[in-house]
Amino acid sequence: MADAASRLSRLAEQMLGVPLPVRIRAWDGSQAGPPGAPALVVRNRRALRRILFKPGELGLARAWVAGDLDVEGDLYSALDAMASLVWERGDDARTLRQALRDPVVRAAVLDLLRLTGPPLPPAPPREEVRRPRRKLHTRRTDRQAISHHYDVGNDFYELVLGPSMVYSCAYWEDGGTLESAQRDKLELVCAKLGLTKGQRLLDVGCGWGSMAIHAAREHGASVVGITLSQEQAAYARKRVADEGLTDLVEIRVQDYRDVVDGPFDAVSSIGMAEHVGAERYLEYASQLYALLKPGGRLLNHQIARRPQRDETAYEVDDFIDAYVFPDGELAPVGTTVTQLERAGFEVRDVEAIREHYARTLRRWVGNLEADWDRAVRLTGAGRARVWRLYMAASALAFERNRIGVNQVLAVRTPESGASGLPPRTRTWNTA
């Protein structure tokens, strides 16, 4: 009988219809596949059962998180090679049903079942979000989703994000460090908002307080930062106190829908709107519009996906939804602009910076890999593996233009039509 790796390689080719672009190294020590290619390490038969019971991305993710599946060699090269077989094949269940009409594929699946051993579905890894069907984006479910992602230990985030503690796309210049690029991003946001001393800023989704601190310290703004994460808020409040900025910065655990103490001169929302959801987006935009004074500015920094011909067919990525950002949704940038305009905003500038996010993510992955043993001690092997996979895959998605990130500057323009913006707004990029 052929060794496990050869059998798996042959079966995968029969089921997928194309040769595997990676090597396979199986639990019996055997190897098969293109020489020099990254290796997909199948540590045990349980990995196969996970993939059989959840074909496609979610099954692969469960095997990865549990440690049943690994990559030997460059992770980016392996993910790039596998992208067309996993992330770009469409609906996994429908694709498998269509493939099973082929007798060769059916025979391959039966052979794979024999190889896996007892056909019992393994329990999902404990890091997977388990929840009944529920109404999305209520105050309670949003709070739970945010807690799942952010309340995993501030020490872990320090390890990944570095001293800046900014969890969003940096703004790079050649030769810059991650810290200088994050500082430049915060300064870019402040410049677009036109912040001056004494102005009130609402920072929606304030994270660990970096934007609030920068706006207060560098521009003299009075800042209210809001987050749904208790751990973030505690960390941010300590940072504010250590900086001596408690008279200028207030950090609250508060939903954006519950903010009632406007008006503000400016609102920043950096990497938060992805959590809002399509059904709530107009409510989100309208709430921020209502909280701004006439002439006030919004800077909305948000990840975007490519538009689909049939937008009703959009589904949230299985791995991201189950392990990373529960209930998170991405929208095309055109949809975001339309919703902001429907809420009353005048959209004045859209800057696409997706290449900057790819570079940022690669730095975060580098930080994680450089201190891997400590990351595992802080948060557990499964969650560390979740982060390594999602950040590396996201970096490739930005590089390949599968997703993007945009800064949208919008104004609550008064009836007079005076936006308050300079005639040539892009001068902020030349400072």
Side-chain angles (χ1 to χ4, degrees):
M1 180 178 288
D3 58 56
S6 297
R7 291 178 68 187
L8 287 173
S9 184
R10 175 177 56 81
L11 291 171
E13 183 173 342
Q14 290 174 335
M15 293 170 66
L16 296 170
V18 294
L20 270 182
V22 295
R23 290 183 299 125
I24 290 181
R25 182 159 69 81
W27 59 89
D28 63 354
S30 60
Q31 297 192 47
L40 198 61
V41 181
V42 185
R43 297 195 183 280
N44 50 54
R45 299 172 192 268
R46 187 171 57 246
L48 305 182
R49 292 199 292 275
R50 292 188 187 280
I51 296 167
L52 275 172
F53 281 96
K54 278 292 181 182
E57 181 178 333
L58 187 56
L60 286 167
R62 285 176 172 176
W64 170 272
V65 174
D68 301 328
L69 199 66
D70 208 342
V71 166
E72 186 178 86
D74 183 66
L75 178 60
Y76 294 103
S77 298
L79 291 173
D80 206 19
M82 294 290 290
S84 62
L85 302 180
V86 181
W87 294 279
E88 298 168 8
R89 286 180 70 89
D91 180 77
D92 300 317
R94 184 173 63 247
T95 300
L96 181 61
R97 286 196 299 269
Q98 291 170 346
L100 285 172
R101 296 171 185 168
D102 186 332
V104 174
V105 174
R106 285 201 302 273
V109 170
L110 291 173
D111 197 7
L112 188 58
L113 281 167
R114 286 191 287 270
L115 184 60
T116 64
L120 297 174
R126 62 183 179 84
E127 292 81 7
E128 183 169 317
V129 175
R130 300 175 180 84
R131 56 182 184 248
R133 290 189 176 274
R134 60 184 187 175
K135 184 174 177 59
L136 298 182
H137 302 296
T138 65
R139 286 166 173 78
R140 182 177 63 84
T141 60
D142 280 353
R143 187 168 58 250
Q144 291 171 341
I146 293 298
S147 179
H148 171 84
H149 188 75
Y150 294 103
D151 292 341
V152 300
N154 292 325
D155 290 344
F156 176 74
Y157 277 98
E158 284 181 340
L159 183 153
V160 173
L161 304 180
S164 65
M165 287 299 283
V166 179
Y167 186 35
S168 56
C169 174
Y171 198 69
W172 294 89
E173 290 187 11
D174 289 341
T177 65
L178 176 59
E179 285 66 46
S180 66
Q182 291 291 14
R183 183 185 63 244
D184 288 349
K185 189 273 298 298
L186 297 177
E187 183 56 31
L188 177 65
V189 172
C190 290
K192 289 180 176 182
L193 291 173
L195 288 182
T196 58
K197 185 175 182 179
Q199 287 191 323
R200 294 190 76 210
L201 169 68
L202 174 65
D203 186 30
V204 182
C206 66
W208 293 270
S210 299
M211 175 62 192
I213 289 169
H214 184 90
R217 184 182 59 214
E218 305 299 328
H219 297 273
S222 175
V223 188
V224 173
I226 61 172
T227 176
L228 295 179
S229 167
Q230 296 284 351
E231 290 193 19
Q232 282 186 335
Y235 188 98
R237 287 166 183 155
K238 184 179 185 305
R239 290 181 72 193
V240 169
D242 291 345
E243 291 274 353
L245 294 171
T246 52
D247 58 330
L248 288 177
V249 179
E250 179 188 1
I251 303 295
R252 304 174 184 167
V253 177
Q254 188 174 36
D255 192 289
Y256 70 90
R257 288 163 284 199
D258 296 329
V259 179
V260 295
D261 55 331
F264 293 88
D265 298 283
V267 174
S268 55
S269 178
I270 307 173
M272 176 271 176
E274 298 88 342
H275 296 288
V276 170
E279 291 186 5
R280 295 285 188 181
Y281 204 92
L282 183 57
E283 177 186 1
Y284 158 81
S286 300
Q287 171 71 352
L288 300 189
Y289 182 86
L291 288 169
L292 279 168
K293 63 176 56 175
R297 303 180 192 179
L298 164 69
L299 193 286
N300 190 78
H301 176 121
Q302 182 177 339
I303 298 172
R305 61 175 171 84
R306 303 293 296 170
Q308 298 182 179
R309 289 188 177 182
D310 179 9
E311 279 294 313
T312 63
Y314 168 67
E315 293 183 355
V316 176
D317 180 277
D318 284 340
F319 168 60
I320 297 295
D321 190 47
Y323 287 98
V324 186
F325 294 107
D327 303 341
E329 297 177 44
L330 300 184
V333 64
T335 301
T336 296
V337 168
T338 296
Q339 293 288 63
L340 291 172
E341 290 182 329
R342 287 182 64 198
F345 282 106
E346 179 188 8
V347 173
R348 295 300 300 251
D349 187 82
V350 179
E351 184 175 5
I353 54 175
R354 67 175 175 83
E355 295 89 348
H356 293 262
Y357 217 156
R359 190 170 173 182
T360 304
L361 283 156
R362 282 182 177 263
R363 293 297 180 92
W364 289 344
V365 172
N367 288 345
L368 178 61
E369 292 177 340
D371 210 353
W372 180 257
D373 290 343
R374 181 166 178 261
V376 170
R377 289 196 302 272
L378 288 172
T379 195
R383 192 173 293 276
R385 291 172 66 82
V386 166
W387 272 72
R388 184 172 178 237
L389 178 61
Y390 115 76
M391 291 192 299
S394 296
L396 289 172
F398 281 109
E399 289 169 356
R400 303 297 186 266
N401 192 28
R402 291 196 287 269
I403 53 177
V405 61
N406 305 280
Q407 288 193 349
V408 180
L409 178 65
V411 181
R412 179 174 174 168
T413 304
E415 291 185 6
S416 67
S419 69
L421 288 166
R424 294 186 178 184
T425 52
R426 282 297 175 91
T427 54
W428 53 59
N429 287 355
T430 61

